[in-house]
């Protein structure tokens, strides 16, 4: 009976459990300088849900090589793309199934603030609202990831000027 109750609780709150695991891993990385294993948690929803990864927005990835003209090396561009995809998969496609865009944007900025406590990390709340809106309108993880990737590239380029 207790096992069934625990199993039911985990199913009901799996999104929250994974989010708390993500925050815990970020704190361990920040405080104890342990390896950042957050990408494992961010990709974990692929085990739970069947996501539609091939859609009409998938072809936006053909524009990714244009990121090389921004001065980034191919491996850096790949790293940025995988990070943006992982974050959008977890926060938009997974968490937004249960929580509102406003709540998920708060969770998104909180995770960024744990890793890098600054005003700029807190301000990730606003692009997150845009990514959530884009995801809801298009129902495409590819479109939201593409926006996330290019906003990161733009931010990183302008912040180093």
């Amino acid at each position: 009976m207790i096992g069934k109750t625990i199993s039911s609780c985990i199913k009901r709150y799996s999104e929250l459990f994974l989010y708390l695991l993500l925050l815990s891993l970020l704190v361990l990385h920040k405080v104890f300088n342990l390896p950042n294993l957050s990408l494992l948690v961010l990709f974990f929803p692929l085990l739970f849900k069947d996501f539609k990864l091939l859609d009409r927005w998938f072809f936006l990835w053909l524009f990714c090589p244009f990121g090389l003209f921004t001065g980034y090396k191919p491996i850096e561009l790949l790293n940025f793309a995988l990070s943006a995809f992982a974050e959008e998969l977890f926060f938009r496609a997974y968490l937004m199934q249960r929580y509102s865009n406003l709540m998920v944007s708060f969770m998104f900025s909180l995770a960024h603030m744990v890793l890098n406590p600054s005003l700029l990390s807190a301000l990730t709340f606003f692009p997150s609202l845009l990514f959530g809106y884009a995801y809801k309108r298009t129902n495409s993880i590819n479109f939201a990831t593409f926006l996330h990737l290019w906003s990161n590239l733009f931010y990183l380029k302008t912040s180093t000027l």
Side-chain angles (χ1 to χ4, degrees):
M1 183 68 170
I2 294 174
K4 194 173 188 177
T5 305
I6 291 172
S7 175
S8 172
C9 184
I10 288 174
K11 279 184 182 178
R12 186 175 301 139
Y13 298 108
S14 63
E15 295 91 353
L16 187 58
F17 287 138
L18 277 179
Y19 179 70
L20 292 175
L21 177 62
L22 174 69
L23 289 181
S24 301
L25 288 173
L26 291 173
V27 167
L28 289 172
H29 171 68
K30 185 72 176 174
V31 174
F32 298 110
N33 205 21
L34 294 176
N36 187 351
L37 301 175
S38 61
L39 274 180
L40 296 176
V41 175
L42 293 175
F43 279 117
F44 209 73
L46 287 174
L47 300 175
F48 291 120
K49 304 286 183 186
D50 184 28
F51 296 104
K52 184 178 174 187
L53 297 177
L54 293 175
D55 58 16
R56 66 184 176 143
W57 299 102
F58 181 77
F59 295 104
L60 285 173
W61 289 107
L62 296 175
F63 292 98
C64 237
F66 287 108
L68 296 173
F69 295 112
T70 60
Y72 292 108
K73 297 174 187 165
I75 193 72
E76 292 172 324
L77 195 58
L78 180 63
N79 182 28
F80 293 143
L82 282 175
S83 295
F85 175 74
E87 288 181 1
E88 291 305 311
L89 175 70
F90 185 77
F91 286 99
R92 277 3 119 199
Y94 187 61
L95 290 181
M96 279 184 66
Q97 291 178 357
R98 181 174 301 261
Y99 303 108
S100 69
N101 187 17
L102 194 63
M103 184 64 172
V104 170
S105 294
F106 174 75
M107 295 164 89
F108 183 80
S109 62
L110 180 62
H112 281 81
M113 287 187 62
V114 166
L115 197 56
N116 182 22
S118 70
L119 177 62
L120 290 176
S121 292
L123 291 176
T124 59
F125 175 81
F126 298 106
S128 179
L129 284 174
L130 174 69
F131 305 149
Y133 176 76
Y135 176 73
K136 280 292 190 191
R137 290 283 294 176
T138 62
N139 199 28
S140 171
I141 190 71
N142 291 306
F143 188 74
T145 301
F146 190 76
L147 284 177
H148 191 152
L149 170 66
W150 283 97
S151 70
N152 284 352
L153 292 177
F154 178 75
Y155 165 73
L156 290 170
K157 245 336 157 191
T158 58
S159 68
T160 58
L161 294 177

